Each structure stands twice: as structure tokens, then as C-alpha cells.
Amino acid sequence: MREPRPGGDLFGLLAEFDRPERLIEAVKRARKAGFTAMEAYSPYPVEELTEALGFEENIIPWLTLAGGLFGAVLGYGLQLYTNYAYPIEIGGRPLFAWQSFMLITFELTVLFAVLSAIFGMLLLNRLPRLHHPLFDIEAFQLGQSDKFFLIILSNDQRFHAKRTRAFLGMLEPISVDAVEHTEQPE
């Protein structure tokens, strides 16, 4: 038996807007009203939208740095270990010559930084996600070309289906749709 969800089987309420300015204004008013669990969708990047949503996540740069440092330590350490564990003395060269270690160190730094950034982004965005409840809303398909959407999620502390729908109606959207949870096939 599955656990009941906080907002029932409602994923959230989706408001559709025709201009980016109206979406930004709606996001600002929703945040001012105390809503925090919301997402906005736009067919192209809207500069002020991230700030209006209060999006300040900076985990990916730290993951990239950690991956790069790990790659550098791994590359440098592997070469250092192999030179001392299996010494080959040729022409009086020293076993430890940091200049010759830099190429592999640089390559592994870049490799692990890029891989940690990509996989970190995929994990944090919960991708690949083959289905999302918004895909069931027919109007949401219009968001790919010329519509702007704001969804207030049902897991928000201030979410109440009727009051939230009334609040979204005050923002003068084109439409407000209820987005239901859908079960993913296993």
C-alpha cells in the first residue's frame, strides 16, 4: 500500500502566462506570498527568472573542483608511485621529475572535473527522467515555443488546493491546471 502524499494525488497547480514579464511578476508575487516550492518553465532563458525564483544552488562548481583535484592527485600520485615502485634508471635521469608528470596530471584533472560535473548535474537534476507529471498537461507542450509556466508544488508548506488556485487566479494567467501525480511503469 502506498503512503498518502501531502497534497493528495495533486503534484501541483500550473499557471500559464503569455509573456516572460508576467511570469517574473507572478514568481515575485508567489514568493512574497510565502510560497517556496515552485518551478518556472520558459521556452528560452529569461535573465531575471533565476533571481526571482531565489535559485542559488552552487553545488556543481564544487563537484567540478573536487573531481579535478581528485584527478590531479590520482594522476600525479600514480606516476610518482610507479616511478618509485618500479625504478628504471636511464641516462642519469632522476626518478622524480615533476615536469614530465604534468601532462598526465593535467589530462586526468580535466577528465575527472568534466565527469564529476556531468554526473553531478545528472544526479542533482534527477536525470534521466523518462516521465514527469507535467508531460500529461496538454498546454505544457506549448511551453516549447511561446508560453511561460509557473507551477506551485503540492509539497509547499503554504499549499492548499483551493487557496492556491485562487491565488494563481489573481495573477491573471491564461489558465490554471491541476497536475496530478502519475505512477511510472516499473
Side-chain angles (χ1 to χ4, degrees), residues 141-161:
Q141 302 304 322
L142 299 174
Q144 297 174 2
S145 59
D146 65 345
K147 299 296 180 195
F148 303 86
F149 295 92
L150 170 66
I151 184 169
I152 298 181
L153 304 172
S154 64
N155 62 357
D156 193 297
Q157 295 293 329
R158 294 191 42 93
F159 186 87
H160 182 274

Side-chain angles (χ1 to χ4, degrees), residues 1 5 19-20 41 43 77 82 93 110 116 122 152 156 163 168 186:
M1 183 163 193
R5 295 185 174 97
R19 293 191 325 265
Y41 299 92
T82 54
R93 287 190 319 196
V110 172
S116 64
L122 289 174
I152 298 181
D156 193 297
R163 288 191 293 253
L168 288 173
E186 293 184 18

Side-chain angles (χ1 to χ4, degrees), residues 167-180:
F167 171 76
L168 288 173
M170 291 181 348
L171 300 176
E172 300 175 7
I174 295 172
S175 67
V176 176
D177 293 309
V179 181
E180 301 289 330

Side-chain angles (χ1 to χ4, degrees), residues 51-70:
E51 183 182 317
L53 283 168
F55 184 76
E56 297 176 3
E57 195 164 311
N58 57 1
I59 295 173
I60 296 295
W62 289 107
L63 285 175
T64 306
L65 177 66
L69 290 174
F70 176 75

